[in-house]
Amino acid sequence: MSETAPMIRVRELRKEFTVYRHRRGLLGALRNLGSREHRVVSAVDGVSFDVAPGELVGYLGPNGAGKSTTIKMLTGLLVPSGGELEVNGYLPWRERKTYVAEIGAVFGQRTSLWWDLPVIESLELLRHIYRIPPERYRRNLADFRAMLELDAFLDTPVRALSLGQRMRADLAAALLHDPPILFLDEPTIGLDVVAKERIRGFIRHVNAERGTTVVLTTHDLADVERLCERILIIDHGTLLFDGPLEEATPATRRASAVLPGMWLLGAVVSIKLALHLIPVLLLSYGYFIDELYYLAASQLLAWGYVDMPPLVPAVTALLRATLGDSLLAVRLLPTLAGALTLG
């Protein structure tokens, strides 16, 4: 870790939600009035990490792992239940008005643009909201128009944009005011291969050329392979792995040394593919590959080769980091007894 002060400092961060029990029917409704039984769900449970200035970190985990909850606390949308959190010298939920002017955020399922306005008018509004000097605004807009190819839809209302176009416009909006840190929550979700590569190239550029610190959450492990040197893996609110991506490869190879008969994994996964995943391949190759890795990792855990549950996302990341998309597909798909080699 760099000797300079971290851009993000997280210590024993927790977020708990109270979930009330709901009873159905008339009698159940009456009981709900008189008795408020509830349980406490820990979405984030004791997470600690630092992110250095200029670092690009991947934050991975399955649905419900706590990724988005962490991002919402980092951006000031949620107040932590416990622990310490500091971003660029700010306490996000206490100094929110000042803090949000220092960050950019893109949530793949939502937009920060005005739905009925053309993209260019949304960007003009953001110029006034962030009080961006005219010269800096013109310079940044020119850069983003070139890198993200915005000209084709700058005058199009946001509601009429494709998902890929909207995501490119959201990225431009998030970086218009030159924030030192950018939070990306699944920025490539639902995009085609060309759109994903364009966005990945843009993220690489702002990180390398502008020194922007980037925290990326994603279910697309290809994003991580192409962008991140360091990954954090979270599941059930607990941090399972924090380290350089290249450390995943030796760990997987050590695990493979004690797996007697990896051909059986190929056979089992191939059978499951025939029953479950082949229809998915017709819809989306990327989703198919992700499911393929998840099946392989799940099977290893089911056989007891990993005794630290729940590690499916961690093993999934390690398998993919070692093998890559096409290589694993070639090794698992040809025959039911196809050999799977991790070395």
Side-chain angles (χ1 to χ4, degrees):
M1 189 63 65
S2 172
E3 293 182 1
T4 61
M7 178 68 74
I8 300 175
R9 181 180 179 275
V10 176
R11 293 292 181 272
E12 295 298 320
L13 187 65
R14 294 186 297 105
K15 182 60 182 177
E16 298 174 343
F17 295 98
T18 300
V19 180
Y20 289 95
R21 179 181 177 184
H22 176 75
R23 301 179 181 86
R24 301 178 61 184
L26 178 59
L27 292 178
L30 293 174
R31 291 186 64 189
N32 288 338
L33 290 174
S35 173
R36 297 294 286 164
E37 296 181 22
H38 67 275
R39 60 190 176 91
V40 176
V41 177
S42 293
V44 176
D45 188 9
V47 168
S48 299
F49 60 86
D50 288 341
V51 177
E55 201 170 6
L56 201 165
V57 177
Y59 198 40
L60 313 181
N63 288 326
K67 303 187 306 297
S68 293
T69 301
T70 305
I71 293 296
K72 287 176 181 177
M73 288 189 283
L74 290 172
T75 54
L77 294 174
L78 289 177
V79 178
S81 301
E84 300 176 12
L85 170 59
E86 186 177 290
V87 182
N88 199 21
Y90 293 95
L91 299 178
W93 67 96
R94 289 184 182 171
E95 305 168 271
R96 179 162 170 73
K97 186 175 180 180
T98 307
Y99 172 67
V100 293
E102 299 293 323
I103 66 170
V106 175
F107 294 87
Q109 304 283 12
R110 299 173 180 84
T111 181
S112 60
L113 305 172
W114 283 264
W115 201 243
D116 294 313
L117 294 181
V119 172
I120 188 63
E121 292 188 19
S122 287
L123 298 179
E124 285 283 353
L125 278 173
L126 289 171
R127 177 175 77 86
H128 292 288
I129 290 173
Y130 287 111
R131 300 177 181 177
I132 305 171
E135 180 58 35
R136 190 203 299 179
Y137 171 76
R138 286 192 292 269
R139 183 179 66 250
N140 285 343
L141 182 59
D143 288 345
F144 299 157
R145 288 171 66 174
M147 288 185 287
L148 294 170
E149 300 181 12
L150 301 179
D151 286 351
F153 53 87
L154 268 180
D155 296 316
T156 304
V158 173
R159 67 173 184 275
L161 299 180
S162 69
L163 182 59
Q165 290 172 334
R166 181 174 64 77
M167 191 57 58
R168 282 145 62 191
D170 273 321
L171 280 169
L175 290 162
L176 205 57
H177 56 296
D178 285 333
I181 183 166
L182 176 64
F183 297 100
L184 300 174
D185 190 10
E186 300 187 45
T188 61
I189 187 171
L191 302 185
D192 60 46
V193 174
V194 175
K196 286 182 178 182
E197 281 304 317
R198 182 180 289 117
I199 287 176
R200 288 168 186 155
F202 179 73
I203 295 170
R204 279 194 298 267
H205 174 84
V206 298
N207 174 250
E209 300 299 323
R210 296 176 174 236
T212 305
T213 304
V214 181
V215 178
L216 168 71
T217 75
T218 181
H219 287 291
D220 189 339
L221 294 178
D223 291 345
V224 179
E225 293 169 355
R226 289 165 172 78
L227 295 173
C228 305
E229 295 183 356
R230 174 188 170 201
I231 60 173
L232 307 171
I233 300 177
I234 186 174
D235 193 20
H236 289 75
T238 303
L239 197 63
L240 302 178
F241 179 83
D242 178 1
L245 186 60
E246 60 266 21
E247 286 185 5
T249 301
T252 306
R253 287 175 176 164
R254 287 196 299 271
S256 69
V258 299
L259 299 181
M262 288 301 292
W263 62 269
L264 184 58
L265 176 62
V268 170
V269 172
S270 296
I271 292 171
K272 290 186 176 182
L273 283 171
L275 297 176
H276 173 61
L277 290 181
I278 294 302
V280 177
L281 178 59
L282 301 177
L283 299 176
S284 168
Y285 173 75
Y287 179 74
F288 167 79
I289 290 296
D290 289 340
E291 287 290 298
L292 176 63
Y293 277 101
Y294 194 85
L295 266 179
S298 299
Q299 194 61 52
L300 291 177
L301 294 173
W303 286 340
Y305 288 116
V306 178
D307 57 1
M308 185 180 165
L311 276 179
V312 169
V315 178
T316 302
L318 298 182
L319 284 173
R320 179 184 276 279
T322 303
L323 298 174
D325 287 359
S326 58
L327 185 56
L328 184 60
V330 167
R331 288 178 175 175
L332 287 184
L333 291 178
T335 65
L336 294 181
L340 177 63
T341 306
L342 298 180

